[in-house]
Amino acid sequence: MHTPDTASTTNGRAICRNTATPPLRPRESFDHAHADTPGSTSSPKQEKRNLLDNTSAETGKVTHEHQRTLNNTQLPTVHHPSDSFPGMVAQLTDGGPGTTGVYYDDTYNAALLLAGTTDGKGVKPGVEVDLTEDLDKNQDALDAGQGLAGLPGSILQMTGRPQTLLNPAKLPVDPRTCKPVHPHSYLQVNTVFEVARQAGLRTAWSDKHAAYDILNGPSGEGIQDLFTPEINSNATGYNGDWTKDNKATEQYDSYKVQAVLNEIDGYDHSRSEQVGTPAVFGLNFQSVSTAQKLKSSQGLQGGYVSKGVPGPLVEKNLEFVDQQLGALTEELRKQHLDGSTTVILSAKHGQSPIDPTALNRIDDGPLLDGLNAAWKAAHPGAGDLVAHAVDDDGVLLWLNDRSAAATEFAKNYLLAQSGTGVDINGKARPFTHSGVEKIYAGEEAADHFHVTPGDARVPDVVGVAQYGVVYTGGSKIAEHGGAHADDLNVPLVVSGAATPGGVRQDEKVETKQIAPTILKLLGLKPNALQAVREEHTRVLPTR
């Protein structure tokens, strides 16, 4: 499926689609998509496309058996954080968190200033960098505050420039300029979209928050049509947001599917303007993710019924995703684009645990409170040690005191704590070492991500949770962000007319290899990506 460097197209297309799916059993539903290999002809007039998607096909495909999110090429143990933002950014930049500077959707930067700062003189740096719905002008609205009438039915009229829907008063401030730092300018390397734009190709994408402006890349101009209905807004007709009821999540996903159908037909996502089919476009699905996390929905059991065996809600949503992707590839056929479109199916991350008997829900609040109390007791007059914490099924801590003594204190405290969590049946379950099996602190944490100690973005403490641990005071039965196989092993299928049929590739690969592969399929040079030059990543083996 490789496109030779000599491929002479300037009009390739790549539909990139990404689901937040778990490690999955092999399924027939992963026989995906029609597409010609971009390098199948040397004619300058040959159109070539590349689609990250999944659905049945009669053409060839390559399935990668061993794939992980954010695996680092130089130190294979660096596989996480397995979160949506670093996961998606990796697929479209080729960079791990140490290279991109993106560690989570809710992270911290020791060098930036608080939102609203207009004069940095005398202001102590260090601020949360929130890349979630919290940045929306109105996080309760599906259109993120654009003010459309008739929602949710009118959502396709949402702007294709959602960066205009971010509240600048909530953005961290650059101390050098005293100006807000937008998500796209927070990214340290360029994206596939930017490279495609520079080659004169059209780009589009659909995702779940306006903060996915980050995929525009540092230029802020990588994606010409970015459709981002807010998934954590109030879901009309349901209780809560679009993730609290799986039927609502399916409805939400259908809006993005319709946007991509419109783009396949040569329109913008709203179908209001004919602009031509993009060269790089796609979407993410959220329904499988919510089916994994919810204990039940629509009268169906969520999660897994036994180790690695999806329950009825997850099975239902795998079928839902297949049906939606079937509609996309059928539309490609109707538009006679199937012979020049490559399809890639992957995921931002998995979920853990896929063995329900291993679940141990631990409330991290008391652990963090205890750490701060212990620090202040040992250091009279000191404030809280923890500046920011993210704990899903792993531990990331940024500290106010970044000294070796402080990071070691935090490590030792966490390893000394034991207590009681809650299992899948709501019964008490003991835990030790705060639920972690290994902690990287200080220089170890920096080395873990291949950055210089003292880097402003890197966590000061990184805890790898014991298998089955989910940090929550609620009822979630799975989470992501950690470093276990359940978080890291995801589907990865590359499909196209010139790929061999039914091939399963046993070579270990990384989802970040998708980025240079897209460029090569489009006849562009993978090393146009800064992260490729830094991490020396190869394109995916597809033959």
Side-chain angles (χ1 to χ4, degrees), residues 23-41:
L24 297 175
R25 299 173 299 163
R27 295 172 52 87
E28 291 181 359
S29 61
F30 290 149
D31 297 333
H32 305 104
H34 298 298
D36 278 347
T37 304
S40 61
T41 177

Side-chain angles (χ1 to χ4, degrees), residues 83-86 102-109 127-134 186 388-392 396 398 459:
D83 178 58
S84 297
F85 262 75
V102 180
Y103 288 86
Y104 227 80
D105 64 358
D106 182 15
T107 183
Y108 189 84
N109 190 303
V127 63
E128 177 184 5
V129 179
D130 191 339
L131 298 169
T132 70
E133 68 277 5
D134 293 336
Y186 193 70
H388 188 66
V390 175
D391 311 315
D392 285 327
L396 300 178
W398 288 263

Side-chain angles (χ1 to χ4, degrees), residues 362 364 367 395 410-419 431-437 439 465-466 469 471:
I362 299 173
D364 58 327
L367 293 173
V395 175
K411 175 180 178 178
N412 291 336
Y413 177 87
L414 292 174
L415 290 175
Q417 304 310 304
S418 59
F431 67 82
T432 59
H433 308 308
S434 298
V436 297
E437 65 179 29
I439 293 179
Q466 298 164 16
V469 166
Y471 292 102

Side-chain angles (χ1 to χ4, degrees), residues 27-375:
R27 295 172 52 87
E28 291 181 359
S29 61
F30 290 149
D31 297 333
H32 305 104
H34 298 298
D36 278 347
T37 304
S40 61
T41 177
S42 60
S43 166
K45 297 182 180 179
Q46 174 66 29
E47 292 187 348
K48 302 156 193 172
R49 301 165 186 87
N50 167 9
L51 164 71
L52 266 79
D53 263 318
N54 103 339
T55 149
S56 323
E58 300 171 358
T59 52
K61 73 176 177 68
V62 177
T63 302
H64 296 281
E65 292 294 310
H66 302 288
Q67 55 281 338
R68 293 190 171 192
T69 56
L70 296 180
N71 191 11
N72 187 281
T73 55
Q74 296 177 342
L75 184 62
T77 56
V78 183
H79 302 158
H80 74 297
S82 53
D83 178 58
S84 297
F85 262 75
M88 191 71 257
V89 165
Q91 292 187 32
L92 291 168
T93 66
D94 174 64
T99 300
T100 64
V102 180
Y103 288 86
Y104 227 80
D105 64 358
D106 182 15
T107 183
Y108 189 84
N109 190 303
L112 297 181
L113 305 179
L114 284 171
T117 301
T118 56
D119 183 354
K121 188 178 295 184
V123 178
K124 182 181 178 181
V127 63
E128 177 184 5
V129 179
D130 191 339
L131 298 169
T132 70
E133 68 277 5
D134 293 336
L135 293 185
D136 298 347
K137 288 183 176 178
N138 182 356
Q139 66 190 64
D140 293 329
L142 185 59
D143 65 1
Q146 183 174 338
L148 293 173
L151 290 172
S154 62
I155 189 55
L156 286 171
Q157 300 306 311
M158 186 178 179
T159 179
R161 292 185 59 80
Q163 53 268 50
T164 63
L165 301 176
L166 299 174
N167 185 349
K170 297 180 180 179
L171 297 172
V173 171
D174 186 336
R176 298 167 299 180
T177 63
C178 278
K179 292 183 178 180
V181 178
H182 287 77
H184 70 261
S185 56
Y186 193 70
L187 185 60
Q188 296 182 153
V189 294
N190 64 341
T191 71
V192 163
F193 296 117
E194 290 177 298
V195 176
R197 287 292 310 278
Q198 289 168 357
L201 304 178
R202 183 168 177 80
T203 59
W205 187 257
S206 297
D207 224 299
K208 61 182 179 178
H209 302 305
Y212 272 87
D213 162 59
I214 198 168
L215 299 180
N216 273 306
S219 71
E221 300 295 334
I223 306 175
Q224 290 165 283
D225 189 0
L226 179 57
F227 179 54
T228 59
E230 178 51 64
I231 193 168
N232 292 120
S233 62
N234 293 332
T236 305
Y238 301 93
N239 292 320
D241 67 30
W242 299 90
T243 69
K244 299 299 187 286
D245 185 308
N246 194 248
K247 186 177 180 181
T249 315
E250 291 179 350
Q251 179 178 331
Y252 167 86
D253 280 345
S254 71
Y255 300 136
K256 291 181 291 186
V257 171
Q258 186 58 55
V260 176
L261 288 169
N262 291 339
E263 290 160 356
I264 291 172
D265 291 348
Y267 293 87
D268 64 4
H269 78 266
S270 67
R271 207 177 183 86
S272 61
E273 184 180 358
Q274 236 176 336
V275 292
T277 304
V280 186
F281 64 124
L283 69 155
N284 102 297
F285 284 91
Q286 208 67 29
S287 54
V288 172
S289 178
T290 60
Q292 292 171 299
K293 290 183 176 184
L294 294 171
K295 189 170 184 179
S296 64
S297 187
Q298 299 172 262
L300 299 175
Q301 177 185 343
Y304 294 78
V305 294
S306 59
K307 186 174 182 179
V309 179
L313 189 62
V314 174
E315 288 279 9
K316 176 180 179 292
N317 278 268
L318 292 173
E319 295 301 324
F320 168 78
V321 170
D322 276 347
Q323 291 167 7
Q324 300 303 305
L325 293 169
L328 294 175
T329 52
E330 177 59 27
E331 197 66 21
L332 287 169
R333 284 188 281 274
K334 287 180 181 179
Q335 296 298 331
H336 308 292
L337 298 176
D338 56 304
S340 55
T341 302
T342 300
V343 180
I344 302 175
L345 165 72
S346 192
K348 297 176 180 179
H349 54 76
Q351 305 280 13
S352 182
I354 61 170
D355 180 358
T357 65
L359 179 65
N360 193 2
R361 289 174 285 214
I362 299 173
D363 188 348
D364 58 327
L367 293 173
L368 296 175
D369 291 343
L371 172 57
N372 284 326
W375 174 255

